[in-house]
Amino acid sequence: MPDLAVFGQSLDGEVFSPDSPGYEAIRRPINPAFREVRPRLVVLCRSVSDVVEALTYAAATGDRIAPRGGGHCFAGRSSTDGIVLDMSGLDGICVADDGSATIGAGARLGQVYAALHAYGRTLPAGCGPTVGITGLTLGGGIGLLGRKHGLTCDRLAGAQVVLASGRVVNCDRDHEPDLFWGLRGAGGGQFGVVTALRFDSVPEPVTTRIEAHWSGAGLGELAAVWQAWAPDAPDELTVNLTLESDPGAPVRATLFGAATLDEGPTREFLVHQAGVAAAIELRAGLRYHDLKRTFADPRSLPERAVRSRSEFFSHGLPDGTLASLLTQLGDPGARGRRQLTFTAMGGAYNRVAEDATAFAHRSERFLLEHVGDAADPWVDRSWATAHADGSGRVYPNFPDPALDDWAAAYHTGNYPRLAAVENAYDPHRVFDFPQAI
């Protein structure tokens, strides 16, 4: 067994074992469902050489390795009883004159938006400020600017990766192109440890914030209307829908989103074309960075363990299916909060060929998530009700351990090429977990 003290002394960062001060705080991921997992070691990496040293040490000890950017993974892939590589010490952000942004693998979205804002730039990415930019990007990256600018991984121009062998490679369209292709939509925890990402950022827009609330009757009609117009709205407009229930309370609905349009055109579309009630709340003149700070991510993980299942849909749900989903959601016997979230796709998401990147879901209209308490059987019942009308495709950033054919669900026709990338770059499956390629 290699000497742990010698390993620790080789690092620019720190190594934490169960008897180290600070271990209890650093071992816990954001996702509460996996907070009881106790790694043998947590390595706080502050340099690329730290990642290389950790991989060398793990190879000698036989420990499993799990890189951790944000720790939000629904399937707990950023936790292990082996060695967690905490990447939070690699969080530098640099913006060049041409707008390209080089971002350390440990940066969180809140940091990213703030840093890019200082240069008048941003990225199409998610809402949660503590979400890691790396995990989000490697699995796709859906957000409020995505219908205009595409997935976060569509803006990825290059990446630095430490392979299982310890070799450090820089990949882009011209260098290690197969690895670069695989990282854009299927690279989370696979192929190697990403230490830095280079993006083609976009000009930071001025936005109009959108929010509206309903409760009681008519929510099925609201959902039917939403799925008819939201995926076909102008690229400059993203509006998502959440239906939520708490025990003993009526089901309530929230529309939330943003437009890179002024308040007038935004209201005109929502009221006269989408048919949304005029009581909708609009707040214009917000820079994207400021807009993000006004939203609580509807998928933010609470301080209780939850389960989530999801699927893409290429056509609208029939009225009968929507009615059944709402009946189950509002079951008076429910013991915890339940949530259905409809996320609009279309626009720039779908103007990319399915095999151009590893992210294969380029013809979907919307994504539907079912989120409930970890022990609530409603999650599976609700998912099964909708699944009859689904495309069978699942967002890689929302991994689902219950899938029967996960390879087809996450990767569809891209799976054979991904398997070849895995065999080329990690032939001994050092980076392994359930549903790994």
Side-chain angles (χ1 to χ4, degrees):
M1 175 76 71
D3 188 282
L4 180 58
V6 173
F7 169 54
Q9 290 168 4
S10 72
L11 300 174
D12 296 312
E14 301 172 66
V15 60
F16 296 82
S17 61
D19 58 354
S20 300
Y23 170 82
E24 287 299 322
I26 198 169
R27 74 169 177 83
R28 293 189 178 97
I30 293 292
N31 191 332
F34 303 98
R35 286 186 180 169
E36 299 313 309
V37 178
R38 300 184 65 82
R40 188 174 81 82
L41 296 175
V42 179
V43 180
L44 175 59
C45 299
R46 297 192 183 278
S47 64
V48 176
S49 64
D50 284 354
V51 177
V52 174
E53 291 290 339
L55 289 175
T56 302
Y57 180 85
T61 62
D63 281 301
R64 294 169 61 91
I65 284 277
R68 176 182 293 170
H72 287 257
C73 180
F74 289 176
R77 295 174 183 169
S78 53
S79 297
T80 178
D81 57 4
I83 299 176
V84 169
L85 301 186
D86 186 312
M87 306 298 287
S88 61
L90 291 168
D91 63 350
I93 301 171
C94 178
V95 182
D97 291 341
D98 64 358
S100 64
T102 301
I103 301 176
R108 311 291 177 90
L109 291 186
Q111 297 171 271
V112 171
Y113 291 133
L116 296 186
H117 168 73
Y119 294 86
R121 312 293 294 185
T122 195
L123 288 174
C127 289
T130 63
V131 170
I133 184 64
T134 302
L136 177 79
T137 302
L138 298 182
I142 295 171
L144 292 176
L145 292 182
R147 300 189 68 256
K148 183 176 177 65
H149 292 293
L151 298 163
T152 313
C153 73
D154 292 335
R155 307 303 305 180
L156 187 65
Q160 183 182 68
V161 186
V162 182
L163 304 179
S165 64
R167 184 164 69 98
V168 181
V169 299
N170 291 289
C171 63
D172 55 29
R173 288 176 176 83
D174 300 318
H175 305 89
E176 313 284 351
D178 287 338
L179 176 60
F180 180 62
W181 176 85
L183 292 179
R184 288 177 293 160
Q190 303 184 117
F191 311 136
V193 180
V194 173
T195 53
L197 302 163
R198 179 166 50 85
F199 293 96
D200 292 328
S201 67
V202 301
E204 183 183 27
V206 175
T207 63
T208 296
R209 184 186 190 277
I210 302 165
E211 186 170 358
H213 301 273
W214 293 264
S215 63
L219 298 188
E221 180 181 357
L222 174 66
V225 169
W226 177 91
Q227 67 183 10
W229 66 261
D232 297 322
D235 291 0
E236 294 81 8
L237 183 68
T238 295
V239 181
N240 301 324
L241 172 66
T242 295
L243 304 174
E244 195 171 45
S245 71
D246 283 300
V251 176
R252 58 193 181 275
T254 301
L255 279 179
F256 63 96
T260 55
L261 302 169
D262 292 336
E263 180 175 353
T266 301
R267 188 177 297 278
E268 172 71 19
F269 179 87
L270 292 172
V271 174
H272 296 291
Q273 296 189 48
V276 178
I280 194 165
E281 298 175 10
L282 301 181
R283 182 179 170 189
L286 292 173
R287 285 286 177 186
Y288 189 61
H289 167 63
D290 297 318
L291 168 82
K292 284 292 187 180
R293 294 191 295 181
T294 73
F295 275 119
D297 185 355
R299 304 180 195 89
S300 291
L301 293 164
E303 288 301 313
R304 71 188 197 282
V306 300
R307 281 189 71 216
S308 173
R309 302 197 68 184
S310 63
E311 189 168 357
F312 285 112
F313 291 79
S314 57
H315 58 80
L317 292 167
D319 291 345
T321 302
L322 286 172
S324 180
L325 289 172
L326 279 165
T327 298
Q328 295 176 54
L329 182 69
D331 178 4
R335 296 183 179 179
R337 177 168 295 179
R338 295 172 173 178
Q339 182 175 295
L340 296 173
T341 295
F342 295 78
T343 299
M345 301 299 288
Y349 293 132
N350 292 4
R351 289 195 288 271
V352 176
E354 289 199 348
D355 61 355
T357 67
F359 187 93
H361 313 296
R362 300 293 190 168
S363 59
E364 304 301 323
R365 289 185 61 78
F366 62 89
L367 173 67
L368 174 58
E369 299 167 68
H370 314 252
V371 184
D373 285 355
D376 191 345
W378 164 84
V379 175
D380 291 315
R381 291 198 304 266
S382 184
W383 181 87
T385 297
H387 176 60
D389 297 293
S391 67
R393 299 182 174 216
V394 175
Y395 181 29
N397 272 343
F398 293 165
D400 181 354
L403 290 173
D404 291 329
D405 188 354
W406 57 267
Y410 297 141
H411 308 301
T412 67
N414 286 340
Y415 186 78
R417 184 177 176 186
L418 287 167
V421 174
E422 174 67 13
N423 289 333
Y425 287 93
D426 185 20
H428 303 295
R429 295 183 65 83
V430 170
F431 303 105
D432 195 18
F433 49 82
Q435 299 183 345
I437 294 166

